[in-house]
Each structure stands twice: as C-alpha cells, then as structure tokens.
Amino acid sequence: MNKARFALLLTLILLFPMIISSGSAHIPPQQMAAALPASSPIEKSAASKTFGIIYPMTYPTYEMITKDATEYAGKHNITLMVNAPDEANTEQQIRIMENMIKQHVDGISISPVDATALTPVINKAQAAGIPVITFESDAPSSNRTAYVGADNYRTGRQFAMTTTRLLNNQGMILVENGLEEMHGLQQRLNGFIDYIRNETAIEILEVNYNQGNEDQAMTDMENMIDAHPHFNAIIGLDFVSVSASTLIWKAKGLKRHLIALGDSPTSENGLLNGQLSAVISQNEGVWGAKMIETLLLASEGLSVEELIDTGITELNQEMGPETK
C-alpha cells in the first residue's frame, strides 16, 4: 500500500507542470495582456506629459510666449513640442497638427491661421482624446476645449478709443492688419472700424493686410504714406506691424501718431524712444502659463473654463500701463 501511494504521489508531482502549462495555453490573449505588468493610472498621471504648441508662424512675440510656457512646464514635469510654419500657412499648420496626433501627445495649443480650415483636424484631435485649446485667435465652431486670450472685438474697440483720444476725435488714419483669413484679426478689425465709423469723426483712408510678413508690412505702410501724405496716424492691429512701423518711423523721422499691438521689447523701446504713442496689449506675457495650465487640467479629465480672458492693457508715454 505504501508503495502504491508513493507511486501515485510521484505521478502527480511529475504531471503538475504540464497541467499548469496546459491551463495557461487556453487563456485568451487579451486576458494574458491584462495579466502583464502595466502602469497604473496613478503612475501614468505622475509620468511626464507632452504638449504641443503650434504658432501661425515664427516671430519674436511667440518666442516670449514659449519662454513663459516652458517655465511653467518645467515645474510640472511637462515636455513641450513647439512648432510653426516659417511663414503663416494653413496647410503646414494642419500637417504639424496631424503629426502631433499621430505621436499621441497629451494636449495641443494652437493659434489657427484659418479657423474654418483647422476645425476638422481640431475635432479629430478631440475625438482621439487629445484636448485642444486655441489662443490669440479662436476657432469657435470647432470642438476645442477652451480659448486663451483677449476678446478681439473688444481689443479693436480699445484701439479705436485710444486713437480717438490721441487725435481729439478728428483726423485721417491708415490701418495695417495681419492675416486676412485669421478669425481673431478680422474680429479686431471689425471692432475697430465699427467704433470709428459709429462713434467718431475720424476718417479711415486705407486698410491693408500684410499676411504675417514683415517685409510686406513695411511695403504697405510706405505705400500708404506716399499715397496719403497728410495722414494723422497709423494703426497696426497685429504683432508684425509693430516692428515694421517703428523701423519706418526711425527712417522717416515721422512725428505722427503710431499705435501698435503687443507688449514686447520692440514696443517698449518704441514707447521709450517716442516712436509709438500707445500700445494695446492682450497681456500676451501670461498666455504661455495659462495655455499649459489649461492643458494640464484638461488632460487629467478636469473641467476648465471655456473662455480664459487675459484682458486688455493700454501702455502709453503719459499714463503707463492701464488695464481695460
């Protein structure tokens, strides 16, 4: 009897590995994958996130925004992918965004050149679980998570009110704008024109679009000055116009009013040197941190405000900064 029990025990010991192997061979592949070591949600949350920033073009003002975003990102274990067309280009923005979607970034912030053309790819990213926020210029018909920046129509009205004060509600003006198809810049121009036409006696002599090109901005302004030598002020409603206009003011020694957009080293120097009469800022210096903060919250599945208004500030030689 003892020998029989021993033989049975020995047989079971020898067969045990085969039983285990045979049993595991019938586990469905998805269950096997689930059994493999994987990062827990907590570990994934603690891991570094990657956010993309897409500008309309390369320009010094955007470098300032990148610096602000980078400083905030560095404090929160976030990697940034920053890209932009060399010159404002909708198709390049679409390709850049498509590439970021393929790389499965955790969030994208974009200033769309053409909101209508970018809407489908913004919606594609959102459908893939990648939160998208717009800044500077919105894409209101898209499924974007939020917009960071100032109200552009109100910004245009502020330009007009500042112009009216400086010209004592009379005179003739020239206007330079950026990208004709950019939603925010069109809103800005509409706000400006509506106020000037309905609230003042000021005459708008000419409006031009530089399409985000500084050389074109200079050419536009020089041509307008030649065509309308008795103008009283030039209004630059976009970032590119400020550097172009201050260069012309230096070259020609003009003493007329010049009003520009954006708080930057160029505009600050223009105010100090007397070339600029006033600067209308959308507080661009806080955009970078606001963008990354909003993407971080959205990527964690937390609710964010749909419109994050950074406000409007006037800078001028007499009053200093004045928030509107």
Side-chain angles (χ1 to χ4, degrees), residues 203-263:
E203 181 183 0
I204 300 174
L205 297 173
E206 192 173 345
V207 177
N208 275 294
Y209 294 90
N210 58 54
Q211 293 303 114
N213 185 290
E214 189 171 310
D215 290 338
Q216 184 60 52
M218 291 188 68
T219 299
D220 287 348
M221 291 184 200
E222 288 175 337
N223 289 341
M224 286 192 294
I225 290 169
D226 290 342
H228 310 283
H230 301 298
F231 77 98
N232 300 104
I234 286 185
I235 317 302
L237 295 174
D238 68 306
F239 291 139
V240 172
S241 294
V242 61
S243 53
S245 58
T246 52
L247 286 172
I248 290 173
W249 250 241
K250 287 179 184 177
K252 295 182 176 290
L254 293 170
K255 301 299 181 184
R256 326 285 175 84
H257 286 294
L258 178 59
I259 305 166
L261 174 80
D263 186 6

Side-chain angles (χ1 to χ4, degrees), residues 45-297:
S45 176
S48 174
K49 292 182 181 291
T50 300
F51 294 150
I53 300 176
I54 305 174
Y55 295 116
M57 59 202 170
T58 56
Y59 199 70
T61 302
Y62 296 126
E63 294 173 9
M64 174 186 71
I65 297 167
T66 298
K67 181 181 178 182
D68 186 48
T70 302
E71 289 176 357
Y72 187 92
K75 299 173 184 176
H76 295 84
N77 198 27
I78 295 167
T79 300
L80 295 183
M81 295 174 57
V82 182
N83 211 331
D86 292 333
E87 294 184 356
N89 185 292
T90 299
E91 292 303 318
Q92 283 191 40
Q93 274 199 318
I94 291 172
R95 286 196 293 271
I96 292 168
M97 195 160 182
E98 290 275 12
N99 189 48
M100 288 185 179
I101 294 171
K102 289 178 182 178
Q103 295 183 60
H104 304 290
V105 297
D106 298 290
I108 298 172
S109 181
I110 183 169
S111 175
V113 170
D114 185 329
T116 301
L118 266 296
T119 289
V121 73
I122 290 173
N123 293 348
K124 180 179 178 179
Q126 290 281 160
I130 301 171
V132 178
I133 64 171
T134 55
F135 67 97
E136 181 184 11
S137 183
D138 199 7
S141 297
S142 72
N143 296 331
R144 57 99 176 102
T145 297
Y147 166 69
V148 174
D151 182 310
N152 279 298
Y153 187 85
R154 282 185 53 236
T155 301
R157 286 181 62 85
Q158 182 57 53
F159 263 99
M161 287 186 282
T162 298
T163 302
T164 303
R165 187 187 75 245
L166 291 172
L167 295 184
N168 296 316
N169 195 26
Q170 60 184 347
M172 298 174 289
I173 61 174
L174 307 170
V175 181
E176 182 71 15
N177 205 4
L179 295 157
E180 189 169 6
E181 64 271 36
M182 199 167 189
H183 179 73
L185 291 181
Q186 195 58 53
Q187 286 181 311
R188 210 175 293 162
L189 180 62
N190 289 343
F192 180 81
I193 290 176
D194 286 351
Y195 187 94
I196 292 294
R197 287 180 175 171
N198 297 326
E199 306 291 338
T200 79
I202 295 170
E203 181 183 0
I204 300 174
L205 297 173
E206 192 173 345
V207 177
N208 275 294
Y209 294 90
N210 58 54
Q211 293 303 114
N213 185 290
E214 189 171 310
D215 290 338
Q216 184 60 52
M218 291 188 68
T219 299
D220 287 348
M221 291 184 200
E222 288 175 337
N223 289 341
M224 286 192 294
I225 290 169
D226 290 342
H228 310 283
H230 301 298
F231 77 98
N232 300 104
I234 286 185
I235 317 302
L237 295 174
D238 68 306
F239 291 139
V240 172
S241 294
V242 61
S243 53
S245 58
T246 52
L247 286 172
I248 290 173
W249 250 241
K250 287 179 184 177
K252 295 182 176 290
L254 293 170
K255 301 299 181 184
R256 326 285 175 84
H257 286 294
L258 178 59
I259 305 166
L261 174 80
D263 186 6
S264 67
T266 300
S267 60
E268 289 174 5
N269 287 335
L271 284 171
L272 288 173
N273 296 333
Q275 292 142 357
L276 288 171
S277 301
V279 171
I280 307 302
S281 169
Q282 296 183 322
N283 299 311
E284 303 85 6
V286 303
W287 285 2
K290 290 288 185 184
M291 286 155 45
I292 304 307
E293 177 187 28
T294 304
L295 283 177
L296 183 58
L297 291 171

Side-chain angles (χ1 to χ4, degrees), residues 20-28 32:
I20 296 299
S21 175
S22 175
S24 65
H26 294 287
I27 297 176
M32 287 288 288

